[in-house]
Amino acid sequence: MMAINMNGLKWIWLACLLEGGTLILLVCVAVPIKYGMGYPALTSFMGPIHGLAFLFYIWLLMRTSSERNWLAGDTAKLFVMAMVPFGVLISERFFRRQAASLSATM
């Protein structure tokens, strides 16, 4: 049963990495290319990919938060960090603590 819980934590962490990575690519690569070089096609491509990654992450965040009874403040912090470039690095600490907590209870 604990393996299922740890597996769920891995899924949200991977979704967080995907969302954060697409945000970094969008903000730090696609947008400067759009405005610096006049090539808007990259943002037209990356925008929807990031949007889907963001929606998937938020869905998993709400689901996991509910299943694990996370504090509302922790869930809100993870939500806000999803909107900040490189916020995924701050979220990593939370996920590491959760994984350590699960490992300690096994």
Side-chain angles (χ1 to χ4, degrees), residues 55-86:
L55 290 174
F56 179 64
Y57 172 69
I58 295 304
W59 174 74
L60 267 180
L61 177 62
M62 294 299 114
R63 185 176 144 211
T64 307
S65 174
S66 175
E67 288 173 356
R68 295 179 180 276
N69 296 319
W70 286 347
L71 297 173
D74 289 337
T75 304
K77 179 180 171 183
L78 291 170
F79 177 77
V80 169
M81 288 300 103
M83 292 183 248
V84 176
F86 300 100

Side-chain angles (χ1 to χ4, degrees), residues 5-92:
N5 288 339
M6 189 62 133
N7 192 27
L9 193 59
K10 287 179 185 177
W11 273 109
I12 190 155
W13 174 235
L14 289 173
C16 182
L17 287 175
L18 177 66
E19 188 280 328
T22 59
L23 178 60
I24 290 168
L25 285 174
L26 182 63
V27 172
C28 297
V29 177
V31 171
I33 288 174
K34 176 181 180 176
Y35 291 106
M37 298 179 183
Y39 187 70
L42 194 54
T43 54
S44 298
F45 176 73
M46 278 305 302
I49 292 173
H50 169 67
L52 287 174
F54 178 77
L55 290 174
F56 179 64
Y57 172 69
I58 295 304
W59 174 74
L60 267 180
L61 177 62
M62 294 299 114
R63 185 176 144 211
T64 307
S65 174
S66 175
E67 288 173 356
R68 295 179 180 276
N69 296 319
W70 286 347
L71 297 173
D74 289 337
T75 304
K77 179 180 171 183
L78 291 170
F79 177 77
V80 169
M81 288 300 103
M83 292 183 248
V84 176
F86 300 100
V88 66
L89 301 175
I90 296 168
S91 298
E92 177 186 16

